[in-house]
């Protein structure tokens, strides 16, 4: 028996479905491709990559070192920010050493200020473009703005799925087939989980 659904609601659902699908097109492709790269890390890994190590002399205007002085910390923070985009508020400050670590999508950087010899030691590691994409997929080290993009994408995917299902309601034959496919695929995934996932 055909379900009765108003034409206006179907028209509205169709508009939502079409425009959301276009808004999500590139994002869905992004999540699909990075799903493969995440599932097969050995295909794309750059684990043998060596970090880039540098040294720099701490500027004379930061000497003598007084890590407890707010003005000194402000000046040191500006220098670290301009040179290596490091935030001194995240630093681990000891009597003779300041260490900072910055992690971004697919990147890692550490800066150590040796206050005894007046030098900065920098280590930078770039894991490559695939690692950047994988971290964006997972929202790892990406900040609050990207987290909102991931949340919005999830909401739009839910909306896209529900409007697609709603459009099938008055189409009895297609609805039955679609429900059958949904049950088969979902059951198949469930069986794989029960019998093959350790």
């Amino acid at each position: 028996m055909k379900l009765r659904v108003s034409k206006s609601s179907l028209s509205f659902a169709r508009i939502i479905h079409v425009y959301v699908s276009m808004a999500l097109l590139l994002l869905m492709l992004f999540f699909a491709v990075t799903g493969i790269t995440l599932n097969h890390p050995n295909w794309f890994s750059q684990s043998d990559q060596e970090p880039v190590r540098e040294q720099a002399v701490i500027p004379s205007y930061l000497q003598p070192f007084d890590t407890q002085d707010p003005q000194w910390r402000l000046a040191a923070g500006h220098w670290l920010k301009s040179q290596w985009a490091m935030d001194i508020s995240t630093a681990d400050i000891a009597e003779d050493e300041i260490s900072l670590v910055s992690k971004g999508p697919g990147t890692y950087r550490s800066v150590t200020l040796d206050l005894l010899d007046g030098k900065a030691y920098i280590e930078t590691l770039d894991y490559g473009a695939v690692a950047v994409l994988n971290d964006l997929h997972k929202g790892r080290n990406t900040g609050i703005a990207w987290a909102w993009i991931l949340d919005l994408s999830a909401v739009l995917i839910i909306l896209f799925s529900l409007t697609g299902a709603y459009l099938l309601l008055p189409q009895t034959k297609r609805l039955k087939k679609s429900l059958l496919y949904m049950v088969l695929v979902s059951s198949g995934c469930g069986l794989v989980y029960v019998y093959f996932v350790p």
Side-chain angles (χ1 to χ4, degrees), residues 19-197:
Y19 284 105
V20 168
S21 70
M22 290 309 298
L24 282 175
L25 178 61
L26 294 180
L27 278 172
M28 291 287 281
L29 289 172
F30 163 74
F31 285 120
V33 171
T34 51
I36 295 173
T37 60
L38 282 167
N39 204 34
H40 301 281
N42 293 335
W43 295 358
F44 309 96
S45 67
Q46 296 185 11
S47 56
D48 57 342
Q49 190 171 2
E50 288 294 323
V52 176
R53 294 182 175 89
E54 308 170 72
Q55 289 185 28
V57 177
I58 300 175
S60 58
Y61 66 81
L62 291 177
Q63 302 178 29
F65 304 115
D66 185 0
T67 58
Q68 303 305 314
D69 181 8
Q71 293 300 321
W72 186 90
R73 287 198 183 191
L74 183 63
H78 283 305
W79 179 64
L80 289 164
K81 193 78 170 178
S82 63
Q83 293 294 314
W84 301 288
M86 303 293 279
D87 184 0
I88 198 170
S89 66
T90 64
D92 182 13
I93 301 176
E95 186 176 338
D96 56 359
E97 183 180 277
I98 299 175
S99 58
L100 304 93
V101 172
S102 174
K103 295 179 181 179
T107 61
Y108 171 89
R109 173 177 287 152
S110 69
V111 175
T112 302
L113 304 184
D114 190 325
L115 304 183
L116 294 178
D117 64 8
K119 290 185 179 180
Y121 298 90
I122 307 95
E123 183 174 290
T124 304
L125 191 54
D126 185 344
Y127 294 98
V130 173
V132 173
L133 296 177
N134 287 345
D135 282 351
L136 289 173
H137 181 115
K138 294 184 286 188
R140 184 168 65 183
N141 305 320
T142 54
I144 190 67
W146 188 258
W148 277 105
I149 288 179
L150 293 179
D151 289 343
L152 179 60
S153 300
V155 171
L156 291 177
I157 290 171
I158 292 169
L159 190 59
F160 171 73
S161 302
L162 293 178
T163 52
Y166 187 77
L167 290 171
L168 281 173
L169 291 180
Q171 305 178 46
T172 308
K173 289 183 179 179
R174 287 186 179 179
L175 178 61
K176 288 180 178 179
K177 286 184 180 179
S178 299
L179 289 174
L180 176 61
Y181 297 150
M182 182 188 72
V183 170
L184 288 175
V185 171
S186 300
S187 300
C189 292
L191 290 173
V192 168
Y193 172 75
V194 170
Y195 291 104
F196 298 103
V197 175

